[in-house]
Amino acid sequence: MDNSIINQHISRQFNKEMEDIRNKVLTMGGLVEQQVDLATNAFMSYDMESAEKVIQQDQLINALEKDIDHECTEIMAKRQPAAFDLRMLIATIKIITDLERIGDEAARIAKMTMRIEAADYYQDKYYEIEHLLEMVKEMLNGALDAYARTDTEEVIAITAQDHKVDREYTSITRQLITQMMEDPRNITRALDMLWTARALERIGDHSCNVCEHVIYMVQGKDVRHLTHEELEKTVNEGR
């Protein structure tokens, strides 16, 4: 057989494998977004059915992480990719780790909701975390969109949100401490909400990590541990 035909076949197969990995990551990302929605809705509306669904689906996220990780490792061993393809595989392995941890945070919120139900504890509407929740969901969606489009154009705006999330989390913490000091009857509710706010803040952090991995994938630059100003300068220089 002509070597050029063999090379074309190998190239097509390699492209198919890379596209399959990309699609699986996006599927995993969509499932993680759904988990965050279900878990927070369950917590705020006292929905045990949604909380149970989150816990059950956590295994699907774990299985996807293992499957994608295995595929990436196999391709690196067999295909020996270079340049962008190699960076994409390395970045993907890191991205699915952050997505899996976001899924863990959603499951943690769901389990706490079920514990509250088991204790026959009445929940008010947790209005304090609604703004924090919307910011975090926006960050996660933006990070996944950046990966899907292999584009760093929006990552600066997404990572800038992290400072706002941190400030919101600090503000919520202060409010809750004040509530607990004013009336001990508020302690149970305040602690439940504090742990949920902490989980959301961590989801924001993992979303920022995904953005950093996308920058590495697209531009080949490691921007971990940089300040936001340094990150912005680095990304703009690479365009």
Side-chain angles (χ1 to χ4, degrees):
M1 183 181 291
D2 192 329
N3 283 339
S4 64
I5 297 176
I6 295 175
N7 290 337
Q8 287 175 14
H9 174 74
I10 291 173
S11 178
R12 284 197 299 270
Q13 182 63 26
F14 175 67
N15 290 338
K16 183 178 180 298
E17 291 169 355
M18 295 293 284
E19 185 64 19
D20 181 62
I21 286 175
R22 179 178 174 277
N23 289 335
K24 285 184 177 179
V25 172
L26 293 176
T27 297
M28 183 179 179
L31 184 56
V32 165
E33 285 188 294
Q34 183 187 56
Q35 289 284 84
V36 173
D37 279 338
L38 283 172
T40 51
N41 288 337
F43 181 76
M44 291 191 289
S45 63
Y46 204 40
D47 183 351
M48 293 303 106
E49 184 177 343
S50 293
E52 289 176 0
K53 187 175 181 180
V54 171
I55 294 169
Q56 291 168 1
Q57 288 188 165
D58 190 49
Q59 295 302 316
L60 295 177
I61 293 174
N62 295 341
L64 272 170
E65 182 197 21
K66 291 172 66 177
D67 183 34
I68 297 168
D69 188 289
H70 177 73
E71 278 197 46
C72 289
T73 304
E74 285 282 301
I75 290 176
M76 284 191 283
K78 293 179 180 179
R79 306 292 191 189
Q80 297 183 340
F84 174 81
D85 292 327
L86 178 59
R87 296 200 306 271
M88 178 181 174
L89 292 170
I90 294 172
T92 294
I93 291 173
K94 295 179 179 180
I95 285 170
I96 60 175
T97 298
D98 279 296
L99 291 179
E100 190 275 334
R101 288 174 181 168
I102 291 174
D104 285 345
E105 296 296 343
R108 187 170 291 114
I109 294 171
K111 289 175 182 176
M112 183 165 51
T113 302
M114 297 187 73
R115 176 187 63 77
I116 294 170
E117 191 273 342
D120 195 28
Y121 173 67
Y122 176 77
Q123 258 181 301
D124 295 322
K125 290 291 184 181
Y126 289 125
Y127 57 88
E128 290 96 334
I129 66 169
E130 289 179 356
H131 185 221
L132 177 62
L133 171 61
E134 290 306 313
M135 287 194 293
V136 167
K137 287 167 62 176
E138 184 180 334
M139 289 176 68
L140 176 57
N141 180 264
L144 290 170
D145 187 56
Y147 173 82
R149 294 185 295 108
T150 59
D151 186 6
T152 62
E153 184 176 349
E154 299 297 327
V155 296
I156 301 301
I158 296 167
T159 53
Q161 283 279 85
D162 191 47
H163 296 291
K164 297 178 182 178
V165 167
D166 290 343
R167 287 198 298 269
E168 188 75 11
Y169 173 65
T170 300
S171 176
I172 290 171
T173 302
R174 288 172 178 164
Q175 291 178 43
L176 296 175
I177 291 173
T178 300
Q179 290 176 18
M180 288 187 282
M181 292 175 65
E182 289 176 347
D183 188 345
R185 289 175 297 181
N186 291 327
I187 290 176
T188 302
R189 176 186 183 278
L191 287 176
D192 292 334
M193 189 153 53
L194 182 60
W195 286 115
T196 300
R198 175 58 176 165
L200 291 174
E201 190 269 339
R202 291 296 300 142
I203 291 172
D205 286 343
H206 289 301
S207 299
C208 281
N209 291 348
V210 172
C211 287
E212 291 174 356
H213 302 324
V214 170
I215 293 169
Y216 170 75
M217 179 176 72
V218 176
Q219 298 186 352
K221 296 179 179 179
D222 188 345
V223 296
R224 292 174 296 176
H225 313 304
L226 298 183
T227 66
H228 184 261
E229 291 73 20
E230 291 171 336
L231 184 147
E232 182 175 9
K233 180 180 179 182
T234 301
V235 171
N236 289 334
E237 286 175 349
R239 288 178 180 170

